[in-house]
């Protein structure tokens, strides 16, 4: 399917451009379609799922016809779609809902993790350990059981037969310094190795603690790069912060993160070398 989130952003940009091309303010448009100014603003900022009847009314007011009318209506239909994550609601956590939505229509997914573990590659035990740490810090905005179940659903969706190509670069620091119990971490590392051996579209590279010079400042936060099958859907960079996820589709901003990713990828170990390091980290004593 096409990501509804991606299409909502595309629809928002298209509607705003059409309105501005007509020299019409958002306030005037809201009057003509008998909706609030806030409703138009939220639609043009991709904050709500569109109502197809309202989109058609907007297109009529803006005198949009022909191929452009058909194009906008198709985008609106995609934007209004619901995915498996909608059945979870906020119980799976709003941040995880965002990633599930974007991943659903991705062609490629590339991630960099300086101190954590990729969400869709986590074992349930690792996820539960992280949940306990989050609960100790503050009230969590999700239902733990539903978050764990949804994370497994995300994994199945990404690893489906026609799913995206997935690549992750993990800093060695995330493998050597961790807060979960050692047995949980060892099982997690073995799980990463098994996944790369079983899934040909999955690649995991480790950025060693003492790499050669990368020619770039090291990224300070986890970030994610997405491309989509439809070339009219722009590539996307999502940057994870403590409080929120910042979504970028502007070409200059996305290019900055692409360059950062390419630099860390160049400095990372090969896939075979990474598997060897993961195995060593999973069994530092060399015991059978």
């Amino acid at each position: 399917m096409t990501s509804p989130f991606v299409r909502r952003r595309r629809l928002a940009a298209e509607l705003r451009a059409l309105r501005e091309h007509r020299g019409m303010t958002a306030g005037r448009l809201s009057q003509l379609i008998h909706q609030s100014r806030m409703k138009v603003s939220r639609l043009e900022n991709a904050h709500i799922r569109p109502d197809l009847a309202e989109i058609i009314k907007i297109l009529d007011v803006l005198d949009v016809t022909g191929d452009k009318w058909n194009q906008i209506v198709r985008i609106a239909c995609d934007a209004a779609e619901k995915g498996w994550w909608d059945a979870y609601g906020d119980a799976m956590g709003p941040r995880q809902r965002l990633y599930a939505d974007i991943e659903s229509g991705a062609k490629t997914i590339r991630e960099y993790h300086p101190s954590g573990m990729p969400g869709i590659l986590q074992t349930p035990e690792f996820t539960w350990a992280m949940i306990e740490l989050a609960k100790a810090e503050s009230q969590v905005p999700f239902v733990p059981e539903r978050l764990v179940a949804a994370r497994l659903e995300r994994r199945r969706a990404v690893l489906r037969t026609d799913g995206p190509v997935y690549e992750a670069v993990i800093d060695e620091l995330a493998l050597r310094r961790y807060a979960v119990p050692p047995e949980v971490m060892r099982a997690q590392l073995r799980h990463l190795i098994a996944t790369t051996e079983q899934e040909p579209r999955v690649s995991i590279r480790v950025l060693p603690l003492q790499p050669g010079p990368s020619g770039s400042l090291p990224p300070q936060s986890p970030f994610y790069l997405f491309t989509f099958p439809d070339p009219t859907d722009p590539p996307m960079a999502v940057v994870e912060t403590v409080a929120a996820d910042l979504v970028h589709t502007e070409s200059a901003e996305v290019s900055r993160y692409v360059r950062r990713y390419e630099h860390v990828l160049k400095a990372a170990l090969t896939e075979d070398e990474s598997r060897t390091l993961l195995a060593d980290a999973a069994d530092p004593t060399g015991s059978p």
Side-chain angles (χ1 to χ4, degrees):
M1 66 179 294
T2 302
S3 164
F5 176 81
V6 172
R7 285 304 167 95
R8 282 197 298 273
R9 291 179 66 90
R10 170 94 177 278
L11 177 66
E14 293 278 1
L15 292 177
R16 187 165 53 251
L18 288 170
R19 175 180 60 75
E20 292 174 349
H21 180 70
R22 297 297 187 277
M24 186 181 295
T25 66
R28 179 55 179 161
L29 177 61
S30 68
Q31 293 173 349
L32 293 174
I33 64 173
H34 307 292
Q35 295 290 340
S36 69
R37 171 68 178 79
M38 180 64 71
K39 180 72 172 288
V40 171
S41 175
R42 296 186 70 193
L43 187 61
E44 290 190 356
N45 286 285
H47 291 164
I48 56 174
R49 179 178 281 117
D51 178 279
L52 189 56
E54 291 178 357
I55 298 301
I56 291 175
K57 187 180 295 185
I58 290 173
L59 295 179
D60 289 344
V61 167
L62 297 177
D63 296 322
V64 179
T65 59
D67 291 342
K68 192 63 176 180
W69 188 95
N70 292 331
Q71 178 193 37
I72 300 299
V73 169
R74 285 196 299 270
I75 294 172
C77 288
D78 290 338
E81 282 289 327
K82 291 187 176 183
W84 61 263
W85 52 90
D86 287 297
Y88 284 80
D90 286 336
M92 68 187 288
R95 302 181 79 166
Q96 185 169 209
R97 283 187 67 184
L98 170 67
Y99 287 106
D101 191 328
I102 299 173
E103 291 163 355
S104 70
K107 178 181 179 182
T108 65
I109 301 172
R110 294 182 291 172
E111 305 179 1
Y112 170 65
H113 295 270
S115 59
M117 199 64 59
I120 64 170
L121 299 182
Q122 293 180 11
T123 64
E125 293 77 14
F126 186 94
T127 302
W128 273 111
M130 297 303 294
I131 289 172
E132 292 304 314
L133 293 174
K135 288 166 63 177
E137 182 179 84
S138 63
Q139 184 175 359
V140 295
F142 53 79
V143 177
E145 293 80 5
R146 298 293 279 169
L147 181 143
V148 174
R151 187 152 288 178
L152 292 173
E153 191 67 40
R154 282 178 61 201
R155 174 184 171 85
R156 284 190 287 269
V158 169
L159 299 184
R160 68 188 187 274
T161 303
D162 61 342
V165 173
Y166 178 90
E167 181 179 74
V169 177
I170 306 173
D171 197 295
E172 187 179 352
L173 179 64
L175 313 178
R176 303 295 187 185
R177 187 172 70 192
Y178 46 89
V180 302
E183 65 274 12
V184 173
M185 190 63 176
R186 287 195 290 267
Q188 173 65 57
L189 297 177
R190 295 188 188 105
H191 174 69
L192 293 180
I193 297 169
T195 300
T196 61
E197 292 175 342
Q198 297 165 7
E199 303 290 344
R201 287 183 290 103
V202 173
S203 172
I204 297 175
R205 305 275 295 276
V206 176
L207 182 65
L209 290 174
Q210 295 181 325
S214 66
S216 172
L217 293 171
Q220 301 301 306
S221 302
F223 66 89
Y224 310 79
L225 299 171
F226 301 93
T227 63
F228 306 95
D230 188 338
T232 58
D233 290 329
M236 180 179 292
V238 183
V239 184
E240 185 180 312
T241 71
V242 173
D245 296 285
L246 308 179
V247 179
H248 299 285
T249 53
E250 305 86 354
S251 177
E253 284 298 317
V254 174
S255 294
R256 286 181 59 194
Y257 284 99
V258 169
R259 288 194 296 272
R260 289 286 181 93
Y261 185 86
E262 289 174 346
H263 281 299
V264 296
L265 185 66
K266 182 179 180 180
L269 301 175
T270 67
E271 290 186 62
D272 287 342
E273 291 170 339
S274 296
R275 273 192 288 267
T276 298
L277 190 150
L278 288 168
D280 289 343
D283 189 11
T285 65
S287 59

